[in-house]
């Protein structure tokens, strides 16, 4: 196991390139099951969740090659097993995304129920209900989902609650269904639009992309494709906060600012100078201390839950009082006790954290718990006085490509050391 050791206090300055999006790469990799031939992806990030997805597909008979130019060649067109085993699914909940494609292509699937995780129980009832409405027969027993469908029939799907991966499962299932499916109250995250654009390049017929009402006209088959994954707006947002919390400046290349409006709006509120060019974002704090900012997470295009922990860390050293309300997940405050151990003044009341900014945090020995909570501990360590050690860095590696290398490039004193 590895840990990160950070000597805090350096203002970060420099330029980095946004990696490809984790939450776009995963559904697109699972969509390879739908294709009659191989797909080649460019700009996929080097993350453990991507490796887990490739291992899961390989266990079911897919082949992949990571080319020397970093292109990822994946052929999932002839699966030999329709079982997504517990041993892999338990490490990555997004494995539920095999369900829709397998039902659409093969008419059956046996998928381990993804457990909960640190941030919540993470049920999949909305996935199963929608797939049954498309004509699947689904039984859950002994910790597995047994799904079967002679044919999926297009229909109107109404989601009571906005759900990202359930929307993605239904989109993928509907691409090969008989007839037309309309998804009402669909999630609108940019990663869903990226999946839809990739599927249309494969021959799918999806319209109203980027809206909450998606229409999918079923087609006979989908072909292999070469596709470039969109940049990761959460990774980019995390590095923007890293510069903001240390009073520095940063330019993020290859990032579409249009998908980050809510995050950039909050960074302007904390007092950052923000400049956006066609494909890059520059933030400059000019050495200023951030101003406290109130946060309330919601569904896209509002403030993303995946940026909540990072802005909580920012608020701990900001000038003034703030409140941070989490409305998406029931337990996404695992970073609070750890930040408090660094001297943060935080009070948790239900799904809201009340924060009183302090002049500075002090380094401490910390434990990472989930992906974005771990990122917030790194950000706090960058700003804190003294040394911060963060255990269980594997949580970070799920969603951040070589985080310590990128931070070192920006002037951070950070090392990855063996436990
Ligand atoms: C996706 O998770 C993302 N993961 C999450 O990113 C992100 O935080 C989340 O969307 C919200 O934006 C991927 O895209 C791989 P949901 P997902 O279904 O789809 C409830 C990260 O850090 N719900 O939109 O699992 C659910 O419990 C990760 O990169 C049901 O009740 O989230 C939650 O309260 C973390 N039943 C709410 O809906 C269901 O069947 C929204 O969850 C499905 C969801």
């Amino acid at each position: 196991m590895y840990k990160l050791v950070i000597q805090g206090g350096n203002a970060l300055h420099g330029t980095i390139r946004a990696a490809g999006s984790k939450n776009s790469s995963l559904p697109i990799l699972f969509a390879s099951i739908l294709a009659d031939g191989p797909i080649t992806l460019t700009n996929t990030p080097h993350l453990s969740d991507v490796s887990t997805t490739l291992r899961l597909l390989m266990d079911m008979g897919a082949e992949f090659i990571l080319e020397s130019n970093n292109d990822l060649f994946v052929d999932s067109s002839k699966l030999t097993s329709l079982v997504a085993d517990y041993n892999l699914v338990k490490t990555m909940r997004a494995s539920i995304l095999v369900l829709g494609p397998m039902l659409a292509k093969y008419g059956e699937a046996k998928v381990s129920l993804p457990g909960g995780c640190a941030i919540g129980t993470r049920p999949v009832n909305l996935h199963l209900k929608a797939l049954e409405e498309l004509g699947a027969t689904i039984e859950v027993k002994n910790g597995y989902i047994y799904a079967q469908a002679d044919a999926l029939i297009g229909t109107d799907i109404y989601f009571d609650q906005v759900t990202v991966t359930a929307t993605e499962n239904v989109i993928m299932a509907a691409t090969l269904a008989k007839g037309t499916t309309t998804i009402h109250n669909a999630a609108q995250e940019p990663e869903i639009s990226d999946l839809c654009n990739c599927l249309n390049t494969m021959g799918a017929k999806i319209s109203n992309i980027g809206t909450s009402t998606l229409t999918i006209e079923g087609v006979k088959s989908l072909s292999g494709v070469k596709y470039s994954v969109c940049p990761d707006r959460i990774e980019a947002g995390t590095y923007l906060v890293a510069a903001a919390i240390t009073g520095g400046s940063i330019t993020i290349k290859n990032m579409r600012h249009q998908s980050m409006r809510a995050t950039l709006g909050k960074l302007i509120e904390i007092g950052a100078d923000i400049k956006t060019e066609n494909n890059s974002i520059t933030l400059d704090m000019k050495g200023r201390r951030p101003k406290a900012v109130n946060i309330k997470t919601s569904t896209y295009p509002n403030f993303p839950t995946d940026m909540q922990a990072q802005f909580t860390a920012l608020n701990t050293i900001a000038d003034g009082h703030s409140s941070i309300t989490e409305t998406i997940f029931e337990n996404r405050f695992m970073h609070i006790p750890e930040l408090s151990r660094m001297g943060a003044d935080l009070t948790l009341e239900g799904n809201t954290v009340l924060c009183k900014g302090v002049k500075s945090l002090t380094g401490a020995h910390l434990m990472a718990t989930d992906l974005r909570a771990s990122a917030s501990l790194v950000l706090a360590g960058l700003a804190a006085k003294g040394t911060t050690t963060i255990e269980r860095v594997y949580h970070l590696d799920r969603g951040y490509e070589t985080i310590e290398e990128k931070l070192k490039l920006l002037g951070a004193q950070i090392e990855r050391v063996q436990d």
Side-chain angles (χ1 to χ4, degrees):
M1 294 246 255
Y2 288 89
K3 57 192 174 190
L4 290 179
V5 180
I6 303 168
Q7 302 301 333
N10 294 10
L12 301 192
H13 295 283
T15 298
I16 59 168
R17 184 181 180 282
S21 163
K22 166 177 87 78
N23 291 348
S24 187
S25 301
L26 302 186
I28 287 175
L29 282 168
F30 286 117
S32 66
I33 294 170
L34 295 163
D36 285 349
I39 69 171
T40 299
L41 295 183
T42 59
N43 202 37
T44 39
H46 294 270
L47 301 171
S48 57
D49 271 8
V50 171
S51 311
T52 301
T53 301
L54 290 170
R55 284 213 330 273
L56 182 59
L57 290 170
M58 198 172 66
D59 281 3
M60 298 194 295
E63 287 164 5
F64 73 88
I65 304 164
L66 182 56
E67 311 280 3
S68 53
N69 64 353
N70 265 332
D71 284 3
L72 189 56
F73 170 94
V74 183
D75 186 353
S76 309
S77 61
K78 299 175 197 64
L79 295 187
T80 52
S81 158
L82 298 177
V83 179
D85 190 82
Y86 172 69
N87 288 321
L88 275 172
V89 173
K90 73 182 178 190
T91 65
M92 188 187 72
R93 299 191 60 269
S95 310
I96 190 69
L97 287 168
V98 286
L99 195 51
M102 276 159 67
L103 270 175
K105 183 80 179 288
Y106 298 97
E108 68 170 279
K110 177 184 172 187
V111 181
S112 166
L113 265 178
C117 70
I119 64 177
T121 52
R122 312 290 295 275
V124 292
N125 57 312
L126 301 175
H127 296 244
L128 305 186
K129 176 174 177 287
L131 292 170
E132 284 177 326
E133 287 164 4
L134 280 170
T137 307
I138 293 180
E139 190 190 358
V140 176
K141 64 179 181 189
N142 310 329
Y144 274 84
I145 300 161
Y146 292 82
Q148 191 275 332
D150 296 335
L152 294 178
I153 313 293
T155 185
D156 279 284
I157 299 288
Y158 294 87
F159 277 121
D160 300 338
Q161 173 164 357
V162 173
T163 155
V164 173
T165 47
T167 298
E168 291 168 340
N169 246 332
V170 173
I171 290 168
M172 293 190 281
T175 55
L176 297 179
K178 286 189 174 55
T180 299
T181 298
T182 300
I183 304 175
H184 305 269
N185 201 24
Q188 302 173 72
E189 271 67 6
E191 295 77 29
I192 292 181
S193 300
D194 207 29
L195 170 66
C196 291
N197 291 330
C198 179
L199 288 166
N200 277 355
T201 314
M202 293 162 69
K205 288 186 180 164
I206 305 169
S207 41
N208 311 325
I209 295 174
T211 75
S212 60
T213 306
L214 294 170
T215 301
I216 303 108
E217 192 187 325
V219 294
K220 282 255 173 297
S221 65
L222 296 179
S223 60
V225 73
K226 180 161 187 174
Y227 190 79
S228 181
V229 167
C230 75
D232 194 315
R233 63 194 167 98
I234 305 300
E235 187 219 28
T238 304
Y239 285 104
L240 288 169
V241 172
I245 202 170
T246 57
S249 59
I250 187 172
T251 295
I252 310 244
K253 294 280 188 200
N254 182 44
M255 189 59 231
R256 302 169 194 158
H257 60 86
Q258 295 84 341
S259 64
M260 298 185 68
R261 284 198 179 94
T263 300
L264 294 178
K266 286 296 174 185
L267 287 169
I268 291 167
E269 245 186 275
I270 66 147
D273 292 344
I274 298 279
K275 257 204 325 259
T276 56
E277 253 115 50
N278 44 15
N279 221 11
S280 73
I281 300 170
T282 296
L283 172 145
D284 193 347
M285 284 301 281
K286 298 191 187 322
R288 295 186 292 257
R289 181 184 179 190
K291 288 181 261 178
V293 65
N294 293 330
I295 296 288
K296 185 172 184 180
T297 66
S298 182
T299 53
Y300 191 87
N302 302 305
F303 188 87
T305 174
D306 292 351
M307 285 300 303
Q308 177 264 106
Q310 298 91 317
F311 271 79
T312 302
L314 189 60
N315 269 324
T316 63
I317 51 95
D319 182 8
H321 289 69
S322 56
S323 72
I324 301 111
T325 301
E326 173 59 59
T327 70
I328 304 292
F329 291 111
E330 67 265 32
N331 187 34
R332 203 166 200 177
F333 286 124
M334 303 289 278
H335 43 294
I336 300 304
E338 295 300 277
L339 292 171
S340 302
R341 292 180 55 240
M342 298 176 79
D345 185 342
L346 298 167
T347 310
L348 190 50
E349 292 182 356
N351 69 338
T352 294
V353 174
L354 301 175
C355 176
K356 182 178 176 307
V358 295
K359 274 244 180 321
S360 75
L361 299 173
T362 51
H365 204 130
L366 308 171
M367 190 73 79
T369 51
D370 61 270
L371 171 55
R372 306 304 174 181
S374 320
S376 89
L377 301 185
V378 171
L379 298 174
L382 292 171
K385 280 196 175 58
T387 306
T388 298
T389 302
I390 302 170
E391 310 266 356
R392 299 186 182 173
V393 180
Y394 60 85
H395 287 291
L396 273 169
D397 295 336
R398 298 191 51 175
Y400 293 95
E401 206 178 53
T402 60
I403 188 163
E404 73 276 10
E405 295 313 319
K406 287 194 175 180
L407 287 171
K408 256 189 244 177
L409 261 180
L410 295 167
Q413 275 184 276
I414 181 171
E415 291 301 330
R416 178 185 292 249
V417 299
Q418 194 129 24
D419 275 352

